[in-house]
Amino acid sequence: MNDQALPNVLVTGFEPFGGERVNPSAEIVRALDGEILNGHRVATAILPVAFASTLPMLEALLETHRPVLVLATGQAGGRSELSIERVAANLIDARIPDADGVQPIDEPVIADAPAAYFSTLPVKAMLARLRVLGIPAALSQSAGAYVCNQAFYALAHLVATRHRGTRAGFVHVPWLPEQAVRHHGQPSMALGTMAAGVRAAIECAVATRRDLRVAGGSTH
Ligand code: PCA
């Protein structure tokens, strides 16, 4: 079968923001672009950290690539592990202005839509796979209230409505070591480890329909 006939997975990352020169999620996306993972071709996009762009760009990407699965990724500076997000909230409460200088406070991502969506990826199976590979990972109950949560919610809404054949989820990643040197005492992870983790998460997700039934809750 030629590559063009393979089903697509879409992996997105974000541009640098908040005074950083790089965004690890964008570097991961560059590393994975065009790879074949478990019989799926990886299409990628790097999104601006701008509230106004998120929904139209994701809609266009889903129309163009018709992916069977989307994994969006973003930087969560200060986290020490790959964070597999479970919940997308219909809430924007921006801590800092976005790339357009816009800082919405307590607004919905999409008006008159559900308060939250869950990831439709097998988050516990993905977590187990990463841990077996020796890649630090955790489940997360909140993707925050900034552009990453907005993107996760927008994706979840699109796959719950107009793109029902697509599954979607979000993974937050730590700072790169070169970023952490300027955030003294903060955790970081090497790009190769993060890229391997995202690859493994995708390979697991495309092959797993039914998630593991193991305890995964936490107090935060
Ligand atoms: N992280 C931000 C937005 C872009 C990114 O990489 C967030 O967690 O919302």
Side-chain angles (χ1 to χ4, degrees):
M1 184 156 59
N2 96 21
D3 281 4
Q4 301 304 328
L6 294 174
N8 282 331
V9 299
L10 173 66
V11 185
T12 67
F14 280 100
E15 289 173 359
F17 72 105
E20 299 293 326
R21 279 186 290 252
V22 292
N23 188 321
S25 66
E27 302 307 316
I28 293 166
V29 155
R30 286 192 188 98
L32 268 61
D33 186 56
E35 288 187 3
I36 309 295
L37 297 177
N38 222 348
H40 293 67
R41 158 182 287 281
V42 178
T44 64
I46 297 172
L47 307 175
V49 183
F51 290 106
S53 310
T54 307
L55 184 59
M57 283 191 74
L58 289 172
E59 279 177 327
L61 286 164
L62 288 180
E63 290 298 331
T64 303
H65 297 294
R66 297 265 154 200
V68 294
L69 189 148
V70 186
L71 184 66
T73 68
Q75 163 193 308
R79 295 200 196 181
S80 58
E81 302 166 303
L82 296 184
S83 255
I84 303 168
E85 301 292 351
R86 305 187 76 174
V87 187
N90 193 7
L91 175 68
I92 300 174
D93 188 3
R95 181 177 56 84
I96 51 174
D98 72 3
D100 297 329
V102 174
Q103 187 172 11
I105 295 173
D106 294 352
E107 289 180 16
V109 176
I110 297 174
D112 304 317
Y117 286 108
F118 292 127
S119 174
T120 49
L121 302 186
V123 294
K124 291 180 173 176
M126 291 155 69
L127 176 66
R129 178 74 61 94
L130 295 182
R131 288 192 170 158
V132 162
L133 293 173
I135 298 171
L139 297 182
S140 165
Q141 266 69 238
S142 171
Y146 196 50
V147 182
C148 286
N149 174 73
Q150 184 212 19
F152 183 18
Y153 186 92
L155 265 179
H157 185 73
L158 288 170
V159 306
T161 53
R162 263 187 294 141
H163 293 271
R164 296 185 69 91
T166 303
R167 294 184 293 152
F170 197 98
V171 171
H172 261 125
V173 304
W175 272 316
L176 290 163
E178 63 259 41
Q179 296 176 282
V181 289
R182 283 175 288 103
H183 300 280
H184 191 62
Q186 294 290 311
S188 65
M189 194 181 282
L191 177 59
T193 307
M194 295 203 256
V198 170
R199 261 186 211 109
I202 292 166
E203 286 175 341
C204 174
V206 295
T208 309
R209 284 281 156 183
R210 191 191 272 246
D211 204 0
L212 299 177
R213 190 166 160 76
V214 294
S218 65
T219 54
H220 58 270

